[in-house]
Amino acid sequence: MPEPGQQADHDFAAALAEVRARIATAAARAGRAADSVTLVAVCKGQPLARIEAALAAGQRVFGENYVQEAKGRWSQLPHRRADVELHLVGGLQSNKAAEAVALFDVIQTLDRPKLARELAKEITRQNRRPALFVQVNTGEEPQKSGIAPGALDGFGARALSARLGSMALQQAGCERIANSPLPFVYSLLIYRTTYLYCLLLPFALIGTTGWM
């Protein structure tokens, strides 16, 4: 009979295999390769044992909501950090820009000029360039964060002049379609890759692009 830790690893591996099979099936229906979809395991509120089970099962892309929580978690797994692609999926305070640039491979929530300036400063200072996704408030809802579509071109020009480097646009994952006859048309892709999000356990998709 497996030990409790071994059973947890087995359960997680089985759940991960099931989710990946669903992704592969959906991708095939859409005429896409399964590896064009990246599954992001969101760590928010999860104990370290669950992260270790995910790593043991082969998951390598993780999402974090909070800078301090992520620092505490991954400082306990220094031997695994090099194998992991770490995304910041929660809002980022400008005073946390230095820590975010040092820790994350992808920052998904660039949503205002002040944050862009702070990230540009830290990217230059640290000589480290995480990928940046510009959060677009396509519904222009005042209670939500993000750059309004009408301000996007100006924001992008200023960000590029600040040498922010690699950027994409996202609204739960979106990119502007070049040469569109409309001013702002977006697809649910980032760098031709779709991002799906899941909680670590129970292993259920909490957000998809609509074709799952």
Side-chain angles (χ1 to χ4, degrees):
M1 186 172 182
E3 296 293 321
Q6 294 174 326
Q7 184 63 46
D9 288 355
H10 173 76
D11 292 346
F12 194 96
L16 180 61
E18 179 184 349
V19 171
R20 286 178 172 166
R22 289 173 57 196
I23 291 170
T25 299
R29 286 201 307 266
R32 297 179 54 175
D35 62 7
S36 71
V37 178
T38 298
L39 180 66
V40 182
V42 178
C43 303
K44 182 179 179 181
Q46 301 297 322
L48 196 63
R50 297 249 175 95
I51 310 303
E52 292 174 326
L55 288 162
Q59 178 66 26
R60 291 295 180 270
V61 183
F62 292 86
E64 293 279 3
N65 288 75
Y66 305 111
V67 174
Q68 291 305 120
E69 185 177 321
K71 283 182 66 177
R73 191 188 328 280
W74 294 99
S75 67
Q76 299 177 71
L77 297 166
H79 58 296
R80 303 306 301 265
R81 179 63 185 89
D83 298 335
V84 165
E85 181 176 292
L86 200 56
H87 293 228
L88 178 62
V89 299
L92 177 60
Q93 296 176 326
S94 297
N95 63 2
K96 300 288 186 184
E99 293 170 289
V101 168
L103 180 59
F104 292 99
D105 303 297
V106 180
I107 296 172
Q108 294 202 11
T109 50
L110 172 53
D111 63 355
R112 59 196 185 279
K114 181 181 179 182
L115 179 57
R117 291 193 296 271
E118 292 301 316
L119 288 171
K121 181 173 69 178
E122 289 303 325
I123 285 169
T124 299
R125 187 179 71 83
Q126 298 183 35
N127 193 28
R128 189 172 190 276
R129 292 186 175 273
L132 304 174
F133 297 166
V134 177
Q135 185 172 338
V136 183
N137 186 353
T138 54
E140 300 190 66
E141 299 170 74
Q143 73 274 21
K144 292 185 178 179
S145 301
I147 305 297
L152 188 56
D153 284 342
F155 175 80
R158 290 193 298 273
L160 289 172
S161 69
R163 299 185 180 182
L164 270 178
S166 174
M167 292 190 300
L169 307 179
Q170 70 98 5
Q171 177 214 11
C174 70
E175 118 187 317
R176 183 171 176 175
I177 301 174
N179 302 318
S180 167
L182 299 176
F184 292 93
V185 179
Y186 298 90
S187 62
L188 295 175
L189 301 171
I190 299 173
Y191 294 140
R192 306 295 176 204
T193 299
T194 300
Y195 285 81
L196 302 179
Y197 298 87
C198 67
L199 292 171
L200 278 171
L201 245 98
F203 214 110
L205 294 179
I206 61 169
T208 76
T209 58
W211 48 264
M212 285 294 288

